[in-house]
Amino acid sequence: STNRRMLQVLLEGTEEGFWFIDNELRTTDANRAMCRMLGVERDALLGRSIFEFVDEANKAVFLRQVELRAQGQASSYEITLRRVDGTPVHCHNSATPIVDETGDKVGAVGLFSDISANKRAAAELQRTSELLAAKTRVLESTFDSLAQGVMSFGPDGRLEAWNRRAAELLQLPEDLLRQHLRLRDLTQWQMAQGHLQSLSSTAGPAAHEATLRFLSGDDAALWETPRYQRQRPDGVVIEVQAFRADGGAHVRTFTDVTDTTRAQLALRESEMRFRTMADAAPALIWLSDATGRVTWLNQTWLRTAGRTLLEALAEPWGQRVHPDDYPRTRLIYRDAFVRRVPYTLECRVLRADGQDMWVADAGIPHVYQLEGGILRYLERTDGRHYEGACFVFDERVSVTHGLHEG
């Protein structure tokens, strides 16, 4: 009697559901926890078939388990019950056949544990994992499609990640990268392959010296030149940049700047050709920036004015032009500058000997140093604004303010 009472207390106090059925698969008893799972009172549950609380898919599960009970076997399995209000309840059931004193099976008992919360957590974890996998695929695809090479190194200097462009620019084989070597080992490999032969001439002695010290074990040397350019043996110019990350890790980027470098070189050469040509011209030539401020004057101008370039640039424009001509000259120039149109005017400017001379000033907007330099500009504009293409001074004379020969 005491054991029975203790068993009754246990059955009614546990959170596990106990469901007793007979050989007809109808309910003979159930504890409170089981009734809560099914959403039905005990009296209303008695006599009802187990199949009333499952859908077709889970009915098949019950049928397979019933066969095992008929064979006298106990088993554990998962099944989804359906409450009377239609709500699914995911359960884990440990079922055991019940036999009488003669050994005949008279029913079965199932110990049901509600695992709905676990199922929801597992489903959320699965969903999160799928989203993370999808985002990872997108990031990997984006990473590999970058025009810039990227490598990530851990706090120990070991390669952790890289994209396809980095392997291409650095000419590193995939099997080497998959070894996740340290940066020092990768650099030594590049040295052995002759990839860094031009480092001193293209990146500069400082970058070359820092690289050698880094290879010798000086980790601090890595950050002495965090940005530099080097040229591959085939002429491709790569800009290398290093960025510190949290925890001692760092990221290195590699950009093909061959076209930019060539364009800059061509621009410098074009600029040099233009200035050489302009300095040799008999005309007085000047350039201004986008604000209208004069930034350069040719040697003919400087010799005529008796100034150095720094002196001429520091001198206000009004001091170069005759005071009677300056207001008109300034008005014409500013109007043409604002509207970005050519202009011509005549005015008097002060020579180095203190005398005024008359000049014809022709201003042309948008004289960019295009590929091919100033000559290319003339081709693109078909020579417009250049009738009477050069100024001839040998038949001109300087005059005083009274228009007498100076």
Side-chain angles (χ1 to χ4, degrees), residues 50 113 118 137 157 159 187 219 256 305 308 313 322 343 385 391:
I50 61 174
S113 300
N118 295 341
R137 288 193 296 271
L159 177 64
T187 306
D219 290 340
D256 184 347
T308 65
L313 293 179
H322 191 283
Y343 73 89
H385 319 313
F391 299 103

Side-chain angles (χ1 to χ4, degrees), residues 93-146:
N93 182 28
S94 296
T96 305
I98 300 175
V99 296
D100 60 15
E101 293 83 353
T102 64
D104 294 329
K105 175 180 173 296
V106 296
V109 60
L111 174 60
F112 288 81
S113 300
D114 186 348
I115 58 173
S116 299
N118 295 341
K119 284 288 186 180
R120 286 193 296 270
E124 181 64 22
L125 179 60
Q126 177 66 22
R127 188 182 72 85
T128 302
S129 298
E130 291 174 354
L131 287 175
L132 180 59
K135 290 180 179 180
T136 300
R137 288 193 296 271
V138 170
L139 288 175
E140 288 177 347
S141 176
T142 303
F143 193 45
D144 260 345
S145 65
L146 291 176

Side-chain angles (χ1 to χ4, degrees), residues 60-73 105:
V61 175
F62 261 156
L63 287 173
R64 288 194 298 272
Q65 294 300 320
V66 166
E67 293 176 0
L68 295 177
R69 300 300 90 71
Q71 299 170 13
Q73 297 181 29
K105 175 180 173 296

Side-chain angles (χ1 to χ4, degrees), residues 263-284:
Q264 291 173 344
L265 179 61
L267 180 62
R268 288 194 296 269
E269 292 176 348
S270 176
E271 184 76 15
M272 185 177 299
R273 288 196 300 270
F274 165 72
R275 296 202 176 196
T276 300
M277 180 185 69
D279 279 338
L284 281 67

Side-chain angles (χ1 to χ4, degrees), residues 197-217:
Q197 287 179 349
S198 62
L199 186 62
S200 180
S201 60
T202 56
H208 183 254
E209 173 64 24
T211 300
L212 293 179
R213 286 193 286 108
F214 170 68
L215 291 177
S216 299

